[in-house]
Amino acid sequence: MDSKKTRRIILLFLLIGIFIGVFAKNYPILNGYTGSLIKEFNTREKGPEIIQVSSNLSKKEIQTVNKSAASAVRIISRDQSGMVAASTGTVFTHDDIFYIITVAHGIVGDCSTTIVWSGKSNFTPCLDIIAIDREADYSIMVIDKPIGVEAVELTSVLPRRKQWSKSVSLQNKIFYTGFPNSVGPLTISGRVVGLSDINYIFVHSYAWSGSSGSGVFSSDGKFIGVVMAVDVGQTIYGVDVLEDMVVVLPSSRIDWSSILL
């Protein structure tokens, strides 16, 4: 066998071995989500950190950015086969109960294998999944009071019917916070560029794997939906992901009856 080819094969197996070793080393963390580690972390009273926002934004936009950045969490879910999915969620509160709104495709297991991370060593277990709509692609979870984030009062940010058209009007500025490509949290801005016939919002912004489930807020602080996907289209290189075109599931398509009785 050619010596160069042999070296390449050895290098390939070495890289695979390193990957497996790193995964195996960290697997107990993923496999033991809801163990004593979580209880230990949840005994530490840590409030959300102070967020510095650009003074170039309007007062309302600064409030919206703070709202978005302070309420974002990362969700890690594991199925029975051991496959792990990572997504983003937004923490809301209503009647002193705490909820996370995210996408359904990011929840691949049940509560016992789903964990919420809110920065540093702050973990919160899932208490219940009260709604999961695979067709519309959203999920609502109930959690303990989270550490390190500030929950958004749900009724104060849901647009009323008369406000909806204004909140999703063309070129309206939006903000969302998420973990694209496992980086973050990153607070990203964009603009509404269209509404589809099947009731999706198209936003000119940036998203990637891990951003799914991020709560999208209009410039005036209204919760207009969750990041669901990025657009895919034809390029000179073939079919490719158009990461600057983001598909948002409108909050008007979420059935809030499990929260707002």
Side-chain angles (χ1 to χ4, degrees):
M1 184 181 291
D2 181 72
S3 59
K4 287 186 178 180
K5 189 174 181 181
T6 303
R7 285 197 297 271
R8 288 174 182 172
I9 292 173
I10 293 173
L11 180 59
L12 176 61
F13 277 100
L14 179 61
L15 291 173
I16 292 172
I18 292 172
F19 174 80
I20 293 173
V22 171
F23 181 82
K25 181 179 179 182
N26 290 280
Y27 182 74
I29 298 175
L30 299 173
N31 195 39
Y33 293 126
T34 54
S36 59
L37 188 62
I38 297 171
K39 294 180 181 178
E40 176 187 343
F41 289 153
N42 279 348
T43 59
R44 305 176 187 177
E45 288 297 328
K46 296 180 181 179
E49 295 182 357
I50 297 174
I51 301 171
Q52 299 295 329
V53 181
S54 172
S55 58
N56 292 328
L57 300 177
S58 69
K59 183 178 179 180
K60 195 66 179 178
E61 288 174 337
I62 290 174
Q63 291 173 345
T64 300
V65 169
N66 270 296
K67 188 182 299 179
S68 172
S71 60
V73 292
R74 192 177 189 197
I75 302 168
I76 303 173
S77 181
R78 178 173 55 85
D79 68 10
Q80 292 181 345
S81 69
M83 185 191 78
V84 175
S87 57
T88 302
T90 305
V91 182
F92 293 92
T93 184
H94 180 67
D95 287 344
D96 296 323
I97 300 175
F98 295 89
Y99 303 90
I100 290 178
I101 312 299
T102 186
V103 286
H105 71 255
I107 306 300
V108 296
D110 54 26
C111 266
S112 65
T113 57
T114 300
I115 193 68
V116 177
W117 180 68
S118 52
K120 296 185 178 178
S121 59
N122 302 323
F123 292 86
T124 305
C126 166
L127 296 181
D128 192 14
I129 298 175
I130 59 174
I132 186 161
D133 189 325
R134 297 289 181 185
E135 184 177 351
D137 199 8
Y138 70 84
S139 179
I140 304 175
M141 294 166 34
V142 179
I143 60 170
D144 281 328
K145 183 178 180 179
I147 302 169
V149 296
E150 188 171 340
V152 178
E153 171 53 50
L154 181 61
T155 55
S156 69
V157 295
L158 283 180
R160 297 177 181 177
R161 289 185 179 180
K162 293 181 179 180
Q163 298 173 317
W164 181 253
S165 296
K166 179 182 177 181
S167 296
V168 297
S169 56
L170 291 180
Q171 291 300 312
N172 190 19
K173 199 170 184 180
I174 61 92
F175 299 94
Y176 74 85
T177 301
F179 296 84
N181 202 28
S182 299
V183 177
L186 304 181
T187 300
I188 300 168
S189 62
R191 292 187 182 278
V192 176
V193 294
L195 301 172
S196 75
D197 293 336
I198 53 175
N199 202 11
Y200 290 114
I201 304 168
F202 290 99
V203 172
H204 186 232
S205 184
Y206 170 81
W208 202 251
S209 176
S211 300
S212 294
S214 302
V216 181
F217 293 87
S218 62
S219 57
D220 60 353
K222 296 301 180 182
F223 175 62
I224 62 172
V226 295
V227 172
M228 190 180 73
V230 291
D231 196 15
V232 176
Q234 188 71 35
T235 71
I236 59 173
Y237 304 105
V239 176
D240 202 355
V241 174
L242 307 177
E243 65 267 16
D244 59 349
M245 197 61 63
V246 180
V247 183
V248 175
L249 175 73
S251 57
S252 59
R253 291 190 60 187
I254 296 176
D255 182 357
W256 298 104
S257 61
S258 57
I259 301 177
L260 306 176
L261 301 177

